[in-house]
Amino acid sequence: MSKGALTPPVGAQDHVQGPADAPVTLVEYGDFECPHCGRAHAVVQELQRQLGNELRFVFRSFPLKEAHPHAEHAAEAAESVATHGGDGAFWEMHDLLYENQESLDDEALRAYAASIGVDEGVVASDLASGAMATRVHQDFRSGIRSGVNGTPTFFVNGQRYDGDWNDVQTFAAHLHARARSACR
């Protein structure tokens, strides 16, 4: 694989929103406690709104636990919710975590899970046992193999995007151009 290529490609293990046949696949490696990722969350939501069915969005966890002490457990809680509540529950948890970045201790994680209908006791057990750590570490290792060294890091159709993600219009223009070229 060339430098800057997504490794592995999007697959069944990933959390995905949007159609599989979308002309643009946007993959984010993110950290639920990272303030930059919190800003990127709003940008991605706007991109999803603007591009609609032209965009497939994939999220992979890349917790920077040295800088963000709650990031790894937040990622594990999101995986626990996905395991016990389905992929829709994962996305609800994903949004809750980004909307509540200032409160990501284990007690809050359990409460967020309960608020979306997942048994907080099961999530607490998964956090205590590290049951979801392997899944989170798989995402992290894939990020390392893909050249990720900070968050957020984006890949567009399998190639690292090093453009300005802070500016929605610039990012959207890039994605629209990729969608048009994919449809030719």
Side-chain angles (χ1 to χ4, degrees):
M1 291 243 150
S2 66
K3 187 174 169 95
L6 183 67
T7 307
V10 175
Q13 78 283 358
D14 285 304
H15 299 292
V16 179
Q17 286 182 319
D21 63 348
V24 176
T25 296
L26 176 65
V27 176
E28 176 188 357
Y29 281 92
D31 173 323
F32 288 116
E33 197 172 4
C34 168
H36 303 295
C37 294
R39 287 195 311 279
H41 174 64
V43 169
V44 168
Q45 287 181 317
E46 178 60 19
L47 294 171
Q48 289 176 300
R49 189 191 67 69
Q50 286 187 27
L51 277 90
N53 286 333
E54 292 187 322
L55 181 67
R56 176 173 67 155
F57 176 61
V58 177
F59 182 83
R60 291 181 179 173
S61 290
F62 198 81
L64 301 171
K65 59 186 177 184
E66 293 79 21
H68 306 125
H70 301 294
E72 187 151 349
H73 262 199
E76 289 179 28
E79 292 300 334
S80 177
V81 165
T83 297
H84 303 294
D87 212 42
F90 170 85
W91 289 109
E92 287 183 65
M93 186 70 156
H94 168 274
D95 293 350
L96 278 172
L97 295 173
Y98 277 128
E99 291 160 8
N100 296 283
Q101 285 187 301
E102 71 289 343
S103 184
L104 296 176
D105 59 35
D106 285 2
E107 183 179 340
L109 298 174
R110 292 189 307 270
Y112 301 147
S115 77
I116 57 176
V118 176
D119 182 341
E120 68 180 274
V122 172
V123 174
S125 176
D126 284 349
L127 290 174
S129 70
M132 301 299 153
T134 298
R135 174 67 180 86
V136 171
H137 295 160
Q138 287 171 341
D139 275 2
F140 190 87
R141 283 191 303 274
S142 78
I144 297 296
R145 286 193 306 273
S146 300
V148 174
N149 55 7
T151 57
T153 297
F154 292 99
F155 289 80
V156 177
N157 290 350
Q159 294 300 309
R160 185 173 171 143
Y161 174 74
D162 288 319
D164 185 3
W165 61 263
N166 281 292
D167 180 50
V168 173
Q169 297 317 317
T170 299
F171 204 174
H174 177 78
L175 297 178
H176 280 297
R178 293 300 299 262
R180 283 191 302 278
S181 68
C183 291
R184 290 184 190 161

